[in-house]
């Protein structure tokens, strides 16, 4: 497959910039059967595009219009052949443009400084080099943009921060049903989302699970108090909105050191007072993850649902 | 709790069941999503809500808006074809540059000009191919199909309070987080919850009563309980066993059958083909286990 990619490149270059017609013809995309998943883990199950690629008509250069209309029913543009994998586990091929950008950009600079001597550099070459460097910069940025497109699966590998230990802490003097619910809630959040640490605080009951950086000099029974003190410092009790930090730069002390994104979901219930509905906070759920952009909107919806489980029903 | 009365959970989203659910739009970019306002699923981004003033004692940092992420998620199609345009234009630019500078269009690596040209061409081709790959992996946009039927909310009256509140929590989570529009829970040979949309019976305007015996003898129920794992019928119209679920609206698009231990089954109907993602399936499995543990009490 790697050879195939090289071949496309070399074909385009060697044939004197003549583009091969099959790659860019303007006929409409017909749904094709799924190609087997070839292990490129950054791309999820393919769904076939339904829109005609009218925009490609400007770029294509080889097909004439009448032939494309007549044969549009039989033709299938199988673009999925462009997806490939090197087969090396752990290597994310969607970052290939970034590596090519770095490699070719540095080669361009090498060519500029190490090629023919300075006086012989023509304006034409300078133009090409400027164009090449800006293309390299664009290619480097490309995987970052691709992360936000629909259908991009986030990287779900959890990396455990160093120095963090797994703990499971729960307040003691709470009813058994609440204990079970807390245990289930923390388990489910750790398992189903890209989370390494979770903390649930409901009506003075605390449950902490996952990898946390507790200070080492505190004896085991006072860890609980340490958590409460840290929570008081940040004042998370009165939170009314969901806060999501997809790229956390400044972290609170309470969070483990390798946290890159975290989310705080308050548990609210509406209280119908005499004139209007006020939202009272019963507590919050804090989730921390070691990768950026860890929680998609679907994850956030489910986290909201789990948080609602702990809601105190005023009318119960 | 009397027959037919429900503890209706205080809805945190302001859209009640009878309102038409708006079609799912781009992912909500509002990181300040306030729980008291239903998140508008339109194409305009949710502005950072101004209720930060009512934060009370919260003293921590506030998240800042993510411009790039928001822009890319909203202009998905443009961004997908952007690399193709960039690559194609640079390809042409290189050609034009070569011709107007009077250099012969020979692709060899002898002069440094040619080398620079080749590298630029390589980058342009990479961009074009990347754009094509992005276009090929564009997810098919499926639109939600409004279920035909009547809304109903019926719960078995003999259940203790904690079970009924748990059941209502399950319904609320499913309808909020997934494309679920109907939910039926069968346990211990009885229907204990039927909520959401259901087929209207022919003579009255109420929902059709579920025939539990027929359901339990059918292949879907037996198969689900025997395999003890979830079964996902992503496109219900392709399954002839659809006739075993006459109580679901006839145009239900996807169904998940989640067995609850050995004694029950949860039937979750959705309004989009392949509407339940793999993460939804995982969540539903875990919620099903929790529900089974609760119901077993």
């Amino acid at each position: 497959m790697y050879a195939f990619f090289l071949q496309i490149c070399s074909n385009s270059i060697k044939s004197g910039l003549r583009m091969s017609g099959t790659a860019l013809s303007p006929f409409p995309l017909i749904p094709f059967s799924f190609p087997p998943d070839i292990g490129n883990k950054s791309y999820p199950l393919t769904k076939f595009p339904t829109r005609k690629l009218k925009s490609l008509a400007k770029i294509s250069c080889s097909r004439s219009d009448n032939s494309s209309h007549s044969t549009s029913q039989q033709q299938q543009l199988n673009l999925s052949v462009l997806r490939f994998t090197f087969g090396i586990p752990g290597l994310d091929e969607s970052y290939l443009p970034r590596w090519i950008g770095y490699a070719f950009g540095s080669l361009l600079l090498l060519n500029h400084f190490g090629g023919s001597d300075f006086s012989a550099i023509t304006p034409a070459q300078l133009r090409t080099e400027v164009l090449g460097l800006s293309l390299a910069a664009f290619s480097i940025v490309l995987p970052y943009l691709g992360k936000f497109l629909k259908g991009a699966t986030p990287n779900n590998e959890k990396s455990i921060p160093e120095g963090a230990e797994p703990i499971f802490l729960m307040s003691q003097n709470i009813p058994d049903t609440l204990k079970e619910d807390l245990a289930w809630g923390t388990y489910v959040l750790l398992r189903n989302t890209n989370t390494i640490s979770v903390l649930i605080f409901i009506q003075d009951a605390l449950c902490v699970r996952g990898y946390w950086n507790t200070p080492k000099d505190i004896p085991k029974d006072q860890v609980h108090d340490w958590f409460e003190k840290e929570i008081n410092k940040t004042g998370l009790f009165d939170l009314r909105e969901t806060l999501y930090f997809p790229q956390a730069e400044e972290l609170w002390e309470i969070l483990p050191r390798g946290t890159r994104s975290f989310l705080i979901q308050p548990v609210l219930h509406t209280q119908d007072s005499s004139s209007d509905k006020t939202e009272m906070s019963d507590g919050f759920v804090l989730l921390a993850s070691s990768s950026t952009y860890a929680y998609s909107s679907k994850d956030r919806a489910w986290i909201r649902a789990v948080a609602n489980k702990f809601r105190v029903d005023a009318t119960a | 709790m009397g027959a037919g009365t429900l503890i209706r959970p205080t809805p945190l989203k302001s859209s009640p069941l009878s309102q038409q659910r708006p079609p799912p739009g781009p992912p909500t970019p509002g990181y300040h999503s306030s729980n008291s306002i239903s998140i508008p699923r339109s194409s305009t981004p949710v502005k950072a809500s101004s209720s930060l003033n009512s934060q009370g004692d919260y003293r921590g940092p506030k998240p800042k808006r993510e411009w790039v992420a928001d822009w890319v998620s909203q202009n998905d199609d443009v961004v997908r074809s952007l690399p193709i345009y960039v690559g194609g234009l640079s390809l042409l630019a290189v050609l034009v540059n070569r011709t107007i500078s009077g250099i012969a269009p020979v692709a060899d690596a002898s002069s440094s000009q040619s080398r620079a040209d080749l590298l630029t061409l390589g980058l342009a081709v990479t961009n074009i191919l990347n754009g094509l790959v992005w276009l090929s992996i564009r997810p098919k946009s499926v639109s939600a199909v409004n279920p035909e039927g009547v809304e109903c909310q019926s719960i078995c009256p003999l259940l203790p309070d904690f079970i009924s509140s748990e059941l209502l929590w399950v319904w609320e989570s499913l309808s909020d987080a997934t494309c679920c529009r109907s939910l039926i829970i069968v346990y211990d040979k009885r229907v204990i919850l039927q909520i959401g949309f259901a087929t209207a019976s022919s003579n009255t305007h109420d929902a059709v009563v579920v025939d539990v015996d027929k359901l339990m003898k059918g292949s879907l129920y037996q198969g689900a309980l025997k395999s003890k794992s979830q079964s996902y019928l992503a496109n219900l119209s392709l399954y002839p066993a659809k006739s075993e679920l006459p109580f679901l609206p006839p145009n239900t698009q996807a169904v998940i059958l989640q067995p609850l231990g050995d004694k029950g089954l949860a039937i979750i109907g959705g309004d989009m083909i392949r509407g339940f993602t793999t993460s939804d399936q995982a969540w539903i499995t875990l919620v099903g286990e929790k529900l089974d543990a609760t119901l077993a009490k």
Side-chain angles (χ1 to χ4, degrees):
Chain A
M1 279 299 185
Y2 173 64
F4 183 77
F5 176 68
L6 267 189
Q7 204 171 9
I8 293 184
C9 268
S10 55
N11 273 344
S12 325
I13 296 177
K14 279 190 199 143
S15 60
L17 315 175
R18 214 175 357 105
M19 289 187 283
S20 71
T22 48
L24 292 169
S25 303
F27 38 74
L29 293 176
I30 313 284
F32 52 88
S33 58
F34 276 15
D37 186 37
I38 36 187
N40 192 346
K41 63 178 181 298
S42 57
Y43 300 137
L45 293 179
T46 325
K47 315 280 191 283
F48 15 87
T50 52
R51 235 182 35 156
K52 291 188 191 196
L53 283 184
K54 292 201 190 71
S55 52
L56 279 192
K58 295 187 215 123
I59 305 179
S60 144
C61 56
S62 56
R63 283 199 192 261
S64 58
D65 268 347
N66 39 7
S67 70
S68 69
H69 282 307
S70 58
T71 53
S72 59
Q73 269 78 37
Q74 294 100 17
Q75 282 155 0
Q76 287 184 4
L77 185 61
N78 195 347
L79 289 176
S80 64
V81 73
L82 296 169
R83 297 173 50 193
F84 65 93
T85 177
F86 292 134
I88 304 169
L91 202 66
D92 196 356
E93 282 79 19
S94 67
Y95 284 95
L96 196 62
R98 180 169 291 184
W99 304 328
I100 292 183
Y102 281 131
F104 280 33
S106 43
L107 283 176
L108 269 173
L109 287 175
L110 190 66
N111 185 46
H112 180 81
F113 293 115
S116 44
D117 47 337
F118 265 132
S119 57
I121 293 183
T122 60
Q125 179 171 347
L126 279 175
R127 282 195 290 261
T128 309
E129 279 172 3
V130 162
L131 183 64
L133 285 175
S134 41
L135 265 184
F138 186 69
S139 307
I140 290 172
V141 166
L142 223 47
Y144 173 67
L145 292 181
K147 244 190 337 196
F148 303 118
L149 292 174
K150 280 198 262 271
T153 37
N155 185 12
N156 272 332
E157 287 172 9
K158 305 182 189 179
S159 61
I160 297 168
E162 35 174 84
E165 292 164 353
I167 61 175
F168 183 11
L169 184 73
M170 188 145 27
S171 305
Q172 289 310 310
N173 42 352
I174 51 178
D176 277 344
T177 50
L178 187 56
K179 276 195 195 161
E180 283 176 19
D181 281 349
L182 283 174
W184 176 80
T186 46
Y187 167 68
V188 148
L189 286 170
L190 279 174
R191 189 162 147 192
N192 252 356
T193 57
N194 192 0
T195 308
I196 48 169
S197 352
V198 62
L199 186 152
I200 301 187
F201 186 83
I202 296 288
Q203 290 184 326
D204 298 329
L206 180 70
C207 179
V208 183
R209 201 164 180 174
Y211 288 90
W212 293 87
N213 281 124
T214 49
K216 297 282 187 291
D217 48 349
I218 295 187
K220 284 265 171 22
D221 43 345
Q222 291 185 5
V223 174
H224 185 270
D225 298 330
W226 181 79
F227 272 110
E228 287 209 7
K229 198 166 53 103
E230 293 292 330
I231 294 174
N232 280 332
K233 262 200 251 173
T234 53
L236 284 170
F237 298 125
D238 260 341
L239 196 60
R240 302 256 165 75
E241 296 184 323
T242 310
L243 293 186
Y244 174 36
F245 297 83
Q247 282 180 313
E249 282 108 33
E250 34 165 299
L251 301 177
W252 299 326
E253 252 184 60
I254 195 175
L255 292 170
R257 243 170 275 128
T259 303
R260 299 263 172 284
S261 58
F262 60 100
L263 178 133
I264 305 154
Q265 170 73 44
V267 178
L268 302 167
H269 71 267
T270 46
Q271 215 174 44
D272 284 328
S273 46
S274 53
S275 51
D276 54 345
K277 292 188 182 185
T278 51
E279 291 211 328
M280 305 292 298
S281 171
D282 293 328
F284 63 92
V285 176
L286 168 70
L287 296 163
S289 166
S290 54
S291 42
T292 51
Y293 295 98
Y295 303 108
S296 63
S297 56
K298 169 82 61 170
D299 287 336
R300 293 201 288 272
W302 275 108
I303 291 168
R304 204 166 46 233
V306 172
N308 284 341
K309 178 100 179 65
F310 299 106
R311 202 173 45 194
V312 170
D313 268 329
T315 54
Chain B
M1 228 181 11
T5 56
L6 276 185
I7 295 179
R8 193 179 158 103
T10 49
L12 287 186
K13 51 180 171 60
S14 60
S15 54
L17 277 176
S18 52
Q19 251 184 28
Q20 188 172 17
R21 177 184 285 242
T28 52
Y31 297 97
H32 286 276
S33 53
S34 161
N35 273 353
S36 60
I37 307 173
S38 78
I39 300 172
R41 309 213 185 163
S42 57
S43 55
T44 56
V46 173
K47 296 278 182 263
S49 75
S50 58
S51 65
L52 282 178
N53 304 333
S54 61
Q55 278 302 334
D57 296 323
Y58 178 58
R59 293 181 283 276
K62 312 280 191 305
K64 45 187 200 303
R65 287 192 64 92
E66 295 275 329
W67 299 104
V68 177
D70 293 346
W71 182 77
V72 171
S73 338
Q74 276 146 37
N75 300 314
D76 189 75
D77 295 333
V78 167
V79 174
R80 278 183 200 267
S81 32
L82 187 67
I84 300 181
Y85 288 124
V86 167
L89 284 175
S90 1
L91 218 52
L92 290 175
V94 166
L95 264 188
V96 163
N97 187 37
R98 273 191 96 99
T99 45
I100 66 173
S101 343
I103 309 172
V106 173
D108 63 349
S110 56
S111 69
S112 61
Q113 164 80 38
S114 303
R115 286 196 292 267
D117 275 342
L118 282 176
L119 290 172
T120 313
L121 285 177
L123 284 169
V125 165
T126 310
N127 275 335
I128 293 178
L129 289 175
N130 200 48
L132 289 175
V133 168
W134 280 0
L135 281 173
S136 78
I137 62 169
R138 173 174 32 204
K140 180 178 185 185
S141 55
V142 190
S143 54
V145 173
N146 262 327
E148 302 166 353
V150 293
E151 299 249 12
C152 68
Q153 296 172 15
S154 45
I155 192 170
C156 175
L158 307 165
L159 296 172
D161 276 346
F162 69 95
I163 292 190
S164 55
S165 60
E166 178 116 346
L167 291 174
L168 290 172
W169 167 75
V170 170
W171 162 246
E172 199 189 311
S173 334
L174 283 176
S175 57
D176 185 36
T178 67
C179 68
C180 162
R181 305 301 291 275
S182 344
L183 175 66
I184 288 119
I185 299 187
V186 174
Y187 196 79
D188 231 357
K189 301 194 180 52
R190 296 178 300 175
V191 175
I192 57 172
L193 179 74
Q194 183 180 6
I195 201 167
F197 277 93
T199 326
S201 59
S202 41
N203 32 6
T204 70
H205 282 295
D206 289 334
V208 152
V209 173
V210 179
D211 188 349
V212 185
D213 294 326
K214 199 165 124 203
L215 175 69
M216 290 181 61
K217 292 197 189 82
S219 61
L220 285 178
Y221 187 91
Q222 300 286 335
L225 283 189
K226 205 161 68 154
S227 71
K228 293 198 200 324
S229 64
Q230 189 188 83
S231 78
Y232 178 24
L233 311 174
N235 190 351
L236 193 61
S237 52
L238 302 175
Y239 289 86
K242 183 182 168 183
S243 54
E244 293 177 24
L245 307 171
F247 38 84
L248 287 178
N251 57 351
T252 304
Q253 303 287 305
V255 165
I256 284 191
L257 301 167
Q258 173 67 41
L260 307 170
D262 288 330
K263 297 204 229 163
L265 183 71
I267 302 169
I268 304 163
D271 60 359
M272 261 202 285
I273 300 184
R274 290 185 297 269
F276 295 103
T277 63
T278 40
S279 110
D280 285 338
Q281 287 177 272
W283 278 103
I284 290 175
T285 312
L286 290 168
V287 166
E289 286 169 7
K290 174 87 169 72
L291 200 55
D292 177 42
T294 315
L295 287 169
K297 288 191 197 148

